[in-house]
Amino acid sequence: MKPLPDCFCPVDGTRVPSDSLAGWCPACRGPLDLDFAPTPAPLKSLAGRVNSLWRYAECLPLPAPTVSLGEGRTPLVELADGVSAKLDFLTPTLSFKDRGAVMLAELALRLRPRQVIADSSGNAGTAVAAYCARAALPCTVYVPSGTSPKKLEQIAAHGARPHVVDGDREAAARAAREAAVAEGVFYASHVHNPYFLHGTKTYVHELWEDLGGRLPDILVLPVGNGTLLLGAALAVAELHTAGLIDRRPALYAVQAAPVAPLAHAWAEGADDLPGAAPPATAPTLAEGIAIPRPPRARQILRAVRESGGTFLTVTDDRIRHAQRDLASRGLYVETTGAVAWAAVREETLGQRTAVVPLCGAGMKTGMADGCL
């Protein structure tokens, strides 16, 4: 069986052994990275492999799965000249978070905890709940008050216990971390645990395969905690290092204007969020990316900068229009899932190509007010 790679803290270098249930750096309580540098398989060798994200076995830090629900391999369709959409809402739990959740559940199955704990504004929680159900692992998901009732229903339907926290997304994360220090508890954090990022990176490996061994000029990605963007950056680096692509696409990070701490830091030329409180925030339709202080802020800013990309922000009004526009094209996504299209549909790309992810199904939250 493939041995598990160790984790390490990207801030202070602290090593965390592969068999640890710890979900964060024991020194600074920050997120972890994985000591894992795979070499992707050549394009021709992928023919005939399993039709899921596990077809990229060489790039995954875990062996063939026992808890797979067939996640990955979502369609790529054209939206407009030069812009395509990857339909990641067509996954088992209807969001891209399945890509990372299957990795967390598979890891937990290896470590055999007595309890799995996660925190989420909805989609990651439903994904972790589903894959824990598949693995027969007991699971509790901490969610902030105001989480969509449909997402709470989905979490409970999979047999997990939704624990509603009185407060925002950060309050839910704090409550989960406090509970996760108990003995025998595995913290299935889609933010702190690096295995999640090594699941989301398959989004780009699939693009590379579907586009015949190339990538678009621009990857437009919604960013709250940045798990899809950081996964994309991992995949791009792997493909480029292996000589399978000759150039790296620019990463365009999209935030909702009412909650855009990273976009503000970017505009100021900062390498990280300020030590004081982040910029003032307000409610937004894009609840899935409404993260005032993402723990991997420094890594996100660095990844965008190194790619030659930029940050974009979109208002709730633009999100409404983008959701309605996508629905008129036959694509019914939730409001957060529409933010990348909301950003790029008003950008002048010239001859450049771009791909946007449609990350969550519309039935999770319904249409935004004013879209009907």
Side-chain angles (χ1 to χ4, degrees):
M1 184 177 288
K2 182 189 292 188
L4 295 176
D6 286 346
C7 297
F8 67 93
C9 176
V11 176
D12 58 32
T14 300
R15 308 289 296 187
V16 178
S18 59
D19 60 353
S20 173
L21 293 176
W24 53 75
C25 171
C28 71
R29 296 180 69 85
L32 297 171
D33 284 348
L34 207 58
D35 191 2
F36 181 62
T39 300
L43 190 64
K44 290 182 179 179
S45 72
L46 298 176
R49 292 192 181 190
V50 61
N51 195 35
S52 74
L53 64 79
W54 294 95
R55 70 195 283 111
Y56 310 107
E58 293 87 349
C59 293
L60 298 176
L62 292 168
T66 57
V67 297
S68 176
L69 292 168
E71 55 288 329
R73 301 298 294 146
T74 54
L76 183 67
V77 302
E78 186 177 352
L79 282 180
D81 289 343
V83 182
S84 297
K86 189 157 175 59
L87 311 189
D88 254 28
F89 65 93
L90 299 179
T91 58
T93 76
L94 309 180
S95 91
F96 86 93
K97 298 290 177 63
D98 290 350
R99 295 182 181 275
V102 67
M103 301 297 289
L104 295 181
E106 191 70 31
L107 176 61
L109 202 60
R110 283 279 201 98
L111 302 179
R112 300 197 175 278
R114 64 173 179 81
Q115 174 76 16
V116 174
I117 284 178
D119 57 87
S120 168
S121 59
N123 283 341
T126 58
V128 170
Y131 284 93
C132 281
R134 187 73 168 176
L137 293 166
C139 178
T140 299
V141 181
Y142 287 73
V143 298
S145 58
T147 297
S148 165
K150 295 180 181 180
K151 292 178 180 179
L152 293 176
E153 179 182 342
Q154 191 179 6
I155 290 170
H158 291 308
R161 183 173 74 92
H163 185 110
V164 180
V165 176
D166 185 17
D168 60 10
R169 178 67 184 82
E170 290 193 344
R174 286 194 299 271
R177 288 196 297 270
E178 289 171 4
V181 298
E183 185 177 355
V185 172
F186 174 69
Y187 182 34
S189 170
H190 62 289
V191 181
H192 286 72
N193 194 304
Y195 279 83
F196 195 92
L197 303 182
H198 284 269
T200 62
K201 74 181 181 184
T202 59
Y203 170 89
V204 165
H205 283 289
E206 289 176 18
L207 283 179
W208 171 76
E209 182 181 359
D210 290 342
L211 293 173
R214 60 183 179 85
L215 289 174
D217 299 313
I218 302 168
L219 294 172
V220 188
L221 301 157
V223 172
N225 277 308
T227 54
L228 184 54
L229 184 141
L230 290 173
L234 277 173
V236 168
E238 291 170 2
L239 292 166
H240 190 263
T241 300
L244 296 173
I245 55 173
D246 57 10
R247 57 168 183 78
R248 302 185 185 214
L251 303 180
Y252 279 28
V254 185
Q255 295 209 283
V259 188
L262 293 164
H264 288 296
W266 176 267
E268 294 170 0
D271 294 330
D272 202 348
L273 296 183
T281 61
T284 176
L285 293 173
E287 63 177 12
I289 57 171
I291 311 297
R293 186 171 286 278
R296 293 188 185 268
R298 177 178 288 273
Q299 290 176 285
I300 296 166
L301 289 162
R302 183 174 65 245
V304 174
R305 185 170 290 113
E306 290 178 350
S307 77
T310 191
F311 275 80
L312 304 171
T313 59
V314 290
T315 63
D316 276 9
D317 189 54
R318 287 173 64 185
I319 293 171
R320 287 189 186 93
H321 286 293
Q323 187 190 35
R324 181 173 57 193
D325 180 66
L326 288 168
S328 74
R329 298 167 185 260
L331 301 167
Y332 183 35
V333 301
E334 64 178 338
T335 46
T336 300
V339 298
W341 178 235
V344 78
R345 69 196 287 253
E346 297 185 15
E347 288 290 307
T348 302
L349 299 179
Q351 299 300 310
R352 294 175 298 172
T353 57
V355 172
V356 302
L358 304 184
C359 300
M363 63 189 67
K364 285 174 169 283
T365 57
M367 294 292 280
D369 291 343
C371 283
L372 296 179

